[in-house]
Amino acid sequence: EDKVVQSPLSLVVHEGDTVTLNCSYEVTNFRSLLWYKQEKKAPTFLFMLTSSGIEKKSGRLSSILDKKELSSILNITATQTGDSAIYLCAVEVGAQKLVFGQGTRLTINP
Amino acid sequence: SQTIHQWPATLVQPVGSPLSLECTVEGTSNPNLYWYRQAAGRGLQLLFYSVGIGQISSEVPQNLSASRPQDRQFILSSKKLLLSDSGFYLCAWSVGPGNQPQHFGDGTRLSIL
């Protein structure tokens, strides 16, 4: 059975801290790994990673995939209260199928 | 640009009643369409996906069904809701055969009483 596991499940930090969120996977047909941010409703797309070792960056957020370790990390530097959300990791395992992890609930305190 | 609409935003239904949730996509042709359910505190579970009109693949056998009567319309239905059908239902779309991100609607929060 395809499986995606995120850690930690919950994280509380102070504004300005740097956080690292983890995602590991065990799947039979890896195509890509995606990160989403979910605030109140719709998850919004952050990154798609297909190649190992190539960092993707958007402002204070960055992510990298390690296909040897079957994992990915999402880094957020200089966190702000607006970064508070659930961060979802998903692996594409076939042309149309995403398998999601449980999510990491990140809370940034002022 | 592409947009996705889901309605209703919230719904409270009694056990045993029918269900119809609708999702439409604008600004793209022949999208792949998806229905997910998110239980409280958990990740998203894929329920159905469709690569074209009338083509539905079911990922999880259960009390729900899906239909795609038009290119950009995706409907989630049930004849008789169960308590376990409560959850947050999300519709998503993508283009191409793969390696393209899925984009989500705002979801429907369904409570079964």
Side-chain angles (χ1 to χ4, degrees):
Chain A
E1 185 187 342
D2 295 324
K3 201 160 115 175
V4 177
V5 177
Q6 291 184 244
S7 63
L9 294 182
S10 180
L11 185 58
V12 181
V13 300
H14 290 293
E15 205 166 18
D17 288 351
T18 292
V19 298
T20 299
L21 310 184
N22 301 284
C23 176
S24 62
Y25 59 90
E26 283 180 46
V27 301
T28 51
N29 182 20
F30 177 91
R31 291 181 64 133
S32 64
L33 185 143
L34 299 92
W35 285 97
Y36 287 85
K37 177 183 181 183
Q38 185 177 25
E39 294 179 83
K40 290 209 176 2
K41 296 181 180 178
T44 53
F45 170 70
L46 296 175
F47 299 112
M48 172 180 269
L49 305 158
T50 53
S51 301
S52 210
I54 298 175
E55 186 184 55
K56 293 232 173 160
K57 202 168 164 65
S58 175
R60 296 176 294 102
L61 278 66
S62 64
S63 184
I64 196 161
L65 175 66
D66 185 339
K67 283 188 175 178
K68 192 174 170 188
E69 295 296 324
L70 306 183
S71 65
S72 172
I73 59 171
L74 175 69
N75 279 322
I76 309 175
T77 59
T79 52
Q80 302 170 359
T81 53
D83 296 325
S84 294
I86 297 173
Y87 289 83
L88 296 167
C89 172
V91 173
E92 188 178 12
V93 294
Q96 281 85 29
K97 185 174 175 183
L98 288 183
V99 177
F100 279 83
Q102 328 91 297
T104 293
R105 183 180 293 275
L106 177 63
T107 303
I108 312 295
N109 287 327
Chain B
S1 65
Q2 301 89 351
T3 55
I4 179 168
H5 303 280
Q6 261 191 265
W7 65 94
T10 58
L11 189 59
V12 180
Q13 292 283 95
V15 169
S17 62
L19 173 74
S20 180
L21 302 181
E22 194 161 336
C23 169
T24 58
V25 179
E26 294 175 3
T28 186
S29 294
N30 197 30
N32 299 321
L33 296 172
Y34 311 84
W35 279 111
Y36 288 88
R37 177 168 58 204
Q38 186 175 31
R42 301 182 68 176
L44 278 66
Q45 180 186 37
L46 179 63
L47 303 176
F48 302 95
Y49 69 89
S50 171
V51 300
I53 295 174
Q55 299 178 59
I56 309 294
S57 295
S58 172
E59 285 296 308
V60 183
Q62 56 201 316
N63 186 38
L64 302 169
S65 62
S67 62
R68 184 170 177 173
Q70 299 179 42
D71 181 44
R72 288 170 287 178
Q73 183 185 29
F74 206 22
I75 297 171
L76 183 70
S77 304
S78 173
K79 290 183 181 173
K80 274 189 176 183
L81 285 166
L82 307 172
L83 279 174
S84 57
D85 292 325
S86 291
F88 189 46
Y89 288 83
L90 288 155
C91 181
W93 68 271
S94 70
V95 294
N99 277 10
Q100 295 290 331
Q102 295 179 20
H103 302 277
F104 289 84
D106 280 343
T108 295
R109 194 160 301 281
L110 175 64
S111 299
I112 311 299
L113 303 178

